[in-house]
Amino acid sequence: MTVNGAVNQEASTGMPAAGEAVGRVLGTQAASPLSFWIGLEPGKIVQLDDVVVTRREVPGYGPVLVAGVVTTVEARHEGAAYDSDVFLIADGALPAAVVEVAEVRVTRVEPEVFVPPLPGSKVFLAGADDRDQALYFDVMERRIPLGMGRDGRPLYVNFDFLDGTRGAHVSISGVSGVATKTSFATFLLYSIFNSGVLEGEAANTKALIFSVKGEDLLFLDHDNVRLDERARSVYARLGLPAQPFGSVHVFAPPRPGDANGVPHVSTRTHGVSAFYWTLVEFCEEELLRFVFADADDERAGYSLLVGQVAARLKAWAEPVGEGGAIMVRGTSCRTFADLVEMLSDQLQDEASRTDWTGAQTPLGTVNAFLRRLRSAVRPLSPIVRGDLPFYRNHVIRTSDAQVSIVDLHNLPERAQRFVVGVVLRGEFHRKESSGTARPLLFVVLDELNKYAPREGDSPIKEILLDVAERGRSLGVILIGAQQTASEVERRIVSNSAVRVAGRLDPAESARSEYGWLPPAVRERATIAKPGTMFVAQPEIPVPLAVVFPFPAWATRPAEAAAPPTKASADPFQGLPGVEDDIPPF
């Protein structure tokens, strides 16, 4: 039976059943405690990722289990000397035998007596208990389903390496549009929330998702109309309910030019709030530095000037009215454009420039700062404003629902950086001030290479580095996705306990950042189908090939089932009946 690309060997004709002998340890290839080769018996086959076991009787220790994962499978003619011999053998003119062999990479030796398996020893396809032992599932006290293996049985990840107990953070890499990085990240969240590992903390554990790919992620709380019974059975085998996320709230920027701050979404009409920052908050929280969030801004000569101007705005800005407007040194500002114009006038004036810069600053530096600031007016005007009621709830928060989605796809890249930096800083400071790592906060951020590039510095990169290095102790877990891990800050990738790769570009797969993938798996990753991921975790020596199930929640507006509606009351209720109708005469 095929389940989203996974093959159940036990149910397929001609495939060996679990616990059945499939071959013997080869004597023509050297066997070691770390790897060995097996020759397959006629009529038996194994495929990549199969788990096999063999045993050896060791004096003084008794039977020793040697378990591993098949990493290479080869077939050849034994007896052929030349390439052209294949035609003679096929015609029966030359005697030869077809031989199939497989390389096994050892994952576990129990007890730990590191001796090689003996040539000629029988090798078995792992049964349920042996498979759990080979993949360390038997020692995972808290495990969550990752998906199905190629043998049609569940694969797990140790939650201790996700919640900060022994490690934290997830790095997902792959080609855009093919690797299904975001889909796997949402399934991982769903598995965490619904597998029972959180126990009593499940209700208070939160997820913050930054969405940059259209409105596809805005319907996680809607049933997927394409989910069929076969897909539901996969969820049942994983021990998960086949249902959408139960608690979702969406935050979207206001529509440009809209005086009422209506959220800029077109396909979702409920559970959506507009987010923005007032000019008062912009000045009080010194958010100017996130306007200059590119790595190029940090290398520019005006980086020091940004901090000085932000400090002056915090000290001199005074609230005006209830709309979030400000007054700075006698100048009223109701829009971000007003603020930029006021700063331009102040910094270009010889008399007031020193008050803002704190020292003699070259005019060229000031002009470069102003050029960059003016270029931010158009992208930031919808989300930095002083013309909406101050009391209106406009803050991005994770307290409203279990999953909070920040929709960024309608914002220019400059504004996206601003939102990501400000929101991450606010949530990280909130967790710091709480003094406890529980409840956990999972942050899903795509295009990580854009926010934390390998070269250069920026305010967002500083925050993400802080999350990667200290987030584990604060209960902030980063699930980062990127097309190219080679372009992401090394310290962020290296601090990720769980690493995942989907379909990879051949040139990218050759980079050293994918050293955790064995050579054969690297080659396979270049042809992997959507839905197949290679997952490495600290306890298991080899990455696991995982096929995660079809989402039970809508992944695009076209898949979203209509939300349940309450039965409407009789529209004629309360009106006079036929007998009660009073004639007009």
Side-chain angles (χ1 to χ4, degrees), residues 271-434:
V272 183
S273 300
F275 70 82
Y276 58 90
W277 288 266
T278 66
L279 290 175
V280 173
E281 293 164 337
F282 183 86
C283 296
E284 287 183 349
E285 299 173 19
E286 299 186 64
L287 303 185
L288 181 66
R289 62 195 304 259
F290 292 102
V291 177
F292 301 84
D294 290 343
D296 290 339
D297 290 320
E298 287 296 311
R299 292 192 291 265
Y302 52 75
S303 58
L304 180 60
L305 183 59
V306 174
Q308 293 170 335
V309 173
R312 300 298 188 272
L313 286 175
K314 180 177 181 180
W316 294 340
E318 299 176 359
V320 176
E322 295 182 348
I326 57 172
M327 178 78 71
V328 182
R329 307 190 79 179
T331 302
S332 177
C333 303
R334 287 181 51 82
T335 65
F336 185 64
D338 292 343
L339 178 63
V340 172
E341 190 61 32
M342 182 275 299
L343 288 175
S344 179
D345 293 340
Q346 291 285 315
L347 289 172
Q348 288 181 325
D349 190 304
E350 292 282 353
S352 58
R353 184 187 308 151
T354 306
D355 295 338
W356 287 88
T357 61
Q360 290 295 333
T361 303
L363 187 58
T365 300
V366 173
N367 289 335
F369 167 82
L370 291 175
R371 282 195 301 270
R372 184 67 172 157
L373 185 61
R374 291 191 189 102
S375 68
V377 171
R378 183 174 181 180
L380 293 184
S381 288
I383 57 175
V384 179
R385 52 203 304 172
D387 57 346
L388 294 175
F390 187 73
Y391 53 80
R392 177 177 294 181
N393 204 345
H394 60 274
V395 178
I396 296 174
R397 55 203 175 276
T398 56
S399 58
D400 290 352
Q402 187 173 57
V403 179
S404 300
I405 301 172
V406 182
D407 181 29
L408 302 175
H409 84 279
N410 280 321
L411 291 175
E413 183 174 320
R414 185 85 176 270
Q416 290 181 9
R417 292 178 185 273
F418 179 85
V419 175
V420 170
V422 174
V423 173
L424 282 180
R425 187 187 72 166
E427 288 299 319
F428 197 70
H429 287 176
R430 181 184 63 80
K431 290 290 290 182
E432 274 186 316
S433 61
S434 68

Side-chain angles (χ1 to χ4, degrees), residues 249-260:
H249 193 87
V250 176
F251 296 91
R255 294 183 183 276
D258 188 278
N260 297 313

